[in-house]
Amino acid sequence: MTSIEESSRLFDSALIKARITLIQEPILSRSGPAACEWIEKEWIDSLVRGFYKIVLGFEEDGREAEATLYVLGGLIIAAIMSISSQKIYGEQAWSRIAKLRSQCTAKWIDVYRVPEDILLDIFKDKKIPSLKVASKPGKSISRPREKEKPGSKETVSEPSEKSRSARQAREERHRPETAEKRLGRPTIDLEKEMKNVLIDLGFTPIFIEIKRDRNTCSIDAVMEPVTPWLDPEVMLYALFSKYVEAYGYPTRAKLGISFGDYRKDLVFERREEMYAARIAGAVIILTNKEDVTIKSVTYRAMPDGGLEITFTPTKESWKIANVRSVFKKAYDKVARYWRGRLVFIIKKGGLFGGAIRIGA
């Protein structure tokens, strides 16, 4: 029998963390008040079907802390907390994290869906431990039933549901669900937020259309018919970043922006494209607030699993702002979006302008 503390230490091992990072699917990301609102209203109550990983940053007694929870069928099977270079595991970690439900100091939270098959490899013939989570007063939670593991008499938790065929079960398991359907509607006026982003970048939006179905998100921005002095991809990355902030990552994304007769379209179908676009878009928004305007962005996934993003700020940005400091602050805020080696390269422009490198 594995204890919660043993399970938590197991999930904190480098090998298990690396394996989960490779297969996890990001479904929700919140920061600031939106993170606290999700914890207070949704939290683990909304994760009763499937296997999830939650990573969050918060404050405890004025100190920065980070926690990782693994949730199976609405039950905690591992809890890890880091504070002041100290690691805390199991029930002790959960008892401190659980306080966020009533006294939220969360700064950000990311939720990932993880294929349950990995649990068979991690626990093998051992029973999976769990901690029951107290639901919010007045809110009941459907508890999972037990299902036999293949080739074993031990059990793993699986959500209760009506009998169905094997084919239906497979289809449900692999069907991409929207983040809205799983974890509630966004708390922001997304169209208004996107328009404000474009205005802050120096352009005038006429209208923005956002369409969502089970598999694809479509964002179409029609702008005042002027010649854009920034690469239109910069604007599309920024809009996509706001979409992910509100709804989580889609399975597929179609983005378009028009300036009169000129039009730019992008399609994202690979996970690394969406991660890179989300990170680039967040950086574009953050640096613009610090008087650094990004003219163009490129990115590439590296063989070792790292991600390299190259930013080219405008010439004026170098004259009026400390570009290195601004990008370092932005890097520290978005580095958590990529669970691998992340590198920023900031080009100074021209043939001999050189570049600044930030990250591993």
Side-chain angles (χ1 to χ4, degrees), residues 199-261:
I199 291 169
D200 289 345
L201 288 172
F203 297 90
T204 304
I206 297 175
F207 72 84
I208 297 176
E209 183 178 55
I210 305 166
K211 293 182 179 179
R212 303 174 57 249
D213 61 28
R214 194 178 65 194
N215 298 312
T216 303
C217 88
S218 299
I219 302 170
D220 191 10
V222 176
M223 310 295 292
E224 188 178 67
V226 298
T227 301
W229 56 92
L230 305 180
D231 186 337
E233 288 191 11
V234 166
M235 291 170 258
L236 292 178
Y237 294 154
L239 297 184
F240 184 68
S241 175
K242 297 303 293 186
Y243 179 92
V244 174
E245 181 182 328
Y247 289 112
Y249 289 90
T251 303
R252 185 170 183 266
K254 295 172 61 179
L255 315 177
I257 190 166
S258 301
F259 293 85
D261 294 334

Side-chain angles (χ1 to χ4, degrees), residues 103-168:
Q103 298 177 340
C104 187
T105 60
K107 294 186 174 181
W108 55 266
I109 185 166
D110 295 329
V111 181
Y112 304 86
R113 192 180 186 98
V114 183
E116 295 178 49
D117 291 352
I118 194 172
L119 296 173
L120 299 178
D121 293 334
I122 292 174
F123 289 96
K124 301 187 186 302
D125 59 347
K126 297 180 180 179
K127 187 173 182 179
I128 301 175
S130 63
L131 284 172
K132 289 186 177 180
V133 180
S135 62
K136 195 152 182 127
K139 187 172 186 177
S140 62
I141 301 178
S142 299
R143 286 301 174 199
R145 62 182 173 84
E146 298 292 313
K147 178 183 177 182
E148 288 191 4
K149 291 166 57 177
S152 170
K153 293 184 178 180
E154 298 296 344
T155 59
V156 292
S157 296
E158 179 181 278
S160 300
E161 52 192 322
K162 295 179 180 179
S163 299
R164 59 191 183 192
S165 69
R167 180 180 177 183
Q168 288 174 320

Side-chain angles (χ1 to χ4, degrees), residues 175-185 212 214 247:
R175 180 186 301 142
E177 297 176 293
T178 62
E180 177 187 15
K181 180 178 178 182
R182 282 197 298 262
L183 301 171
R185 296 179 180 273
R212 303 174 57 249
R214 194 178 65 194
Y247 289 112

Side-chain angles (χ1 to χ4, degrees), residues 2 37 44-45 48 52 63 69 75 77 86 127 133 140 165 195 202 206 242 246 248 284 333 344 355:
T2 305
E37 183 170 359
I44 295 164
D45 301 359
V48 296
Y52 297 88
R63 296 180 295 170
L69 298 171
L75 303 175
I77 66 171
Q86 179 189 9
K127 187 173 182 179
V133 180
S140 62
S165 69
K195 284 184 176 180
I206 297 175
K242 297 303 293 186
I284 288 161
K333 289 184 178 180
F344 285 179

Side-chain angles (χ1 to χ4, degrees), residues 42-56:
E42 303 291 336
W43 199 212
I44 295 164
D45 301 359
S46 63
L47 305 179
V48 296
R49 290 180 178 272
F51 180 36
Y52 297 88
K53 171 184 171 182
I54 304 174
V55 186
L56 66 153

